[in-house]
Amino acid sequence: MLVLGLQGSPRKKGNTRFLLDRFLEASAGIGARTVMVDASRRNILPCRELTACERKGFCPLRDDMEDDIYALITEADVIVVATPVFFYNMTAQLKALIDRCQVFWARKYRFKLKEPGIAQRKGFLLSVGASRGKQLFEAIELSTRYFFDAVSAEYGGSLTYRGVENVGDLAVHKTVEKEVEKAVERIVKPLTMRKRIIFACRENACRSQMAAAFARYLGGDKIDAISAGSKPVEKVNPVMQAVMAEKGIDLAFARPRSLDKTIDVHRPEMIVTMGCESACPNIEGVETINWDLPDPAGQSKPVMQEVCTEIEKRIRVLTQQNK
Ligand SMILES: Cc1cc2nc3c(=O)[nH]c(=O)nc-3n(C[C@H](O)[C@H](O)[C@H](O)COP(=O)(O)O)c2cc1C
């Protein structure tokens, strides 16, 4: 369960940062994992309109988007856009990040692929501005809504503060902390109540990736699914990605992750293992199921398709049992 904050202010300790920190702290306080991406301090190239994303589904620019930001967006259950008003819009740094998400737009609308997290992903906007004009946040809200649509997040509302100019202004605001807590309670809390399941295999390149993606896609409102591997490889299997794309599910930005680390940050209520062999975890008090599934890595595409269909079938049963 990841709450991802996209921080747009260039100030290190500015009002936006104060607001986003409160949101992320309150989320962590109720059990969510939180990550903040500070757009000003990351290497994010502005979109060069090469249109490769619309033709090929990928952005050829190499920077932090490719390194981890696309993967974080894909993993997130809640995406928080946080920005000060700069000339009645968001900051250029945050806008660069958002423009580079055209690749999500292309994969969704041109390639007709669905994000596994589509059923439950929420978006929330935090913003501050110095003046008090009625339309102060209108442009930011419109851009943010359009961004949320591209990354398949349902717009869950906003908290915006006028008359906030100097560093520290928001820290003395009387109602902000209560309002953030209320928003977190409404947006984040229901997602922390889902059953936490880890799907584990050895490399986290094929079987467990497919299982977690189906679990999110088919039962993400009830199941908080994540996958991991006892010996994670560098990249997920491209044949697996192609087979999942045939099912309409997009795993373009999925990354293998370590089982040990995942268990630490994502304490599960259930573990479904499928071939992590002697390294399969056995945690006291945690329900563990073993699925006997052949390893499709290095096999032909039909073998991958067969394993994929079998996993989908099992996930349909699992999600029914956990409704
Ligand atoms: C380049 C620039 C443009 C700004 N444009 C606006 C604006 O159009 N309307 C407004 O109300 N405040 C504007 N501000 C003020 C900031 O929104 C305000 O100081 C805010 O509290 C800064 O948030 P931060 O501390 O998170 O960076 C602008 C500030 C800068 C530096």
Side-chain angles (χ1 to χ4, degrees), residues 9-11 14-17 84-88 128-131 136 164-166:
S9 170
R11 278 177 174 165
N15 297 301
T16 307
R17 177 68 195 261
V85 180
F86 275 17
F87 283 88
Y88 273 79
V128 296
S131 62
L136 188 56
V164 173
E165 184 163 17
N166 300 309

Side-chain angles (χ1 to χ4, degrees), residues 89-266:
N89 215 311
M90 61 183 62
T91 60
Q93 293 90 335
L94 185 60
K95 187 62 169 40
L97 185 158
I98 286 179
D99 287 350
R100 292 287 302 290
C101 290
Q102 179 71 358
V103 69
F104 285 104
W105 183 92
R107 298 188 71 83
K108 180 176 175 181
Y109 289 111
R110 290 260 194 273
F111 294 83
K112 310 284 180 214
L113 293 168
K114 292 194 177 83
E115 279 282 303
I118 190 169
Q120 71 282 351
R121 187 174 296 147
K122 298 274 182 295
F124 198 78
L125 168 66
L126 300 172
S127 190
V128 296
S131 62
R132 297 186 178 274
K134 203 167 157 242
Q135 294 172 297
L136 188 56
F137 301 104
E138 279 186 10
I140 289 177
E141 193 189 307
L142 190 59
S143 301
T144 302
R145 277 180 183 273
Y146 194 64
F147 163 63
F148 285 154
D149 180 72
V151 296
S152 302
E154 185 191 348
Y155 184 74
S158 66
L159 283 176
T160 54
Y161 295 90
R162 292 175 168 78
V164 173
E165 184 163 17
N166 300 309
V167 172
D169 277 0
L170 203 58
V172 295
H173 192 283
K174 286 196 173 59
T175 56
V176 65
E177 304 238 4
K178 276 263 158 310
E179 284 156 356
V180 168
E181 265 173 41
K182 249 173 95 178
V184 167
E185 187 87 4
R186 183 170 63 78
I187 301 290
V188 181
K189 189 146 184 216
L191 294 168
T192 64
M193 315 292 270
R194 297 171 298 166
K195 182 165 182 169
R196 243 172 294 148
I197 305 180
I198 292 181
F199 295 89
C201 66
R202 213 162 62 89
E203 297 187 340
N204 192 214
C206 296
R207 289 166 291 182
S208 57
Q209 287 283 353
M210 293 191 272
F214 278 126
R216 289 182 84 191
Y217 183 66
L218 298 167
D221 54 335
K222 297 282 183 300
I223 296 174
D224 178 7
I226 197 162
S227 69
S230 53
K231 284 206 168 73
V233 286
E234 211 179 301
K235 287 182 177 162
V236 300
N237 185 306
V239 183
M240 182 281 292
Q241 288 172 312
V243 166
M244 287 299 278
E246 286 170 3
K247 298 264 180 192
I249 299 178
D250 196 3
L251 286 181
F253 302 109
R255 295 278 172 82
R257 53 172 94 71
S258 137
L259 183 55
D260 288 346
K261 282 191 198 142
T262 304
I263 288 173
D264 279 352
V265 293
H266 189 91

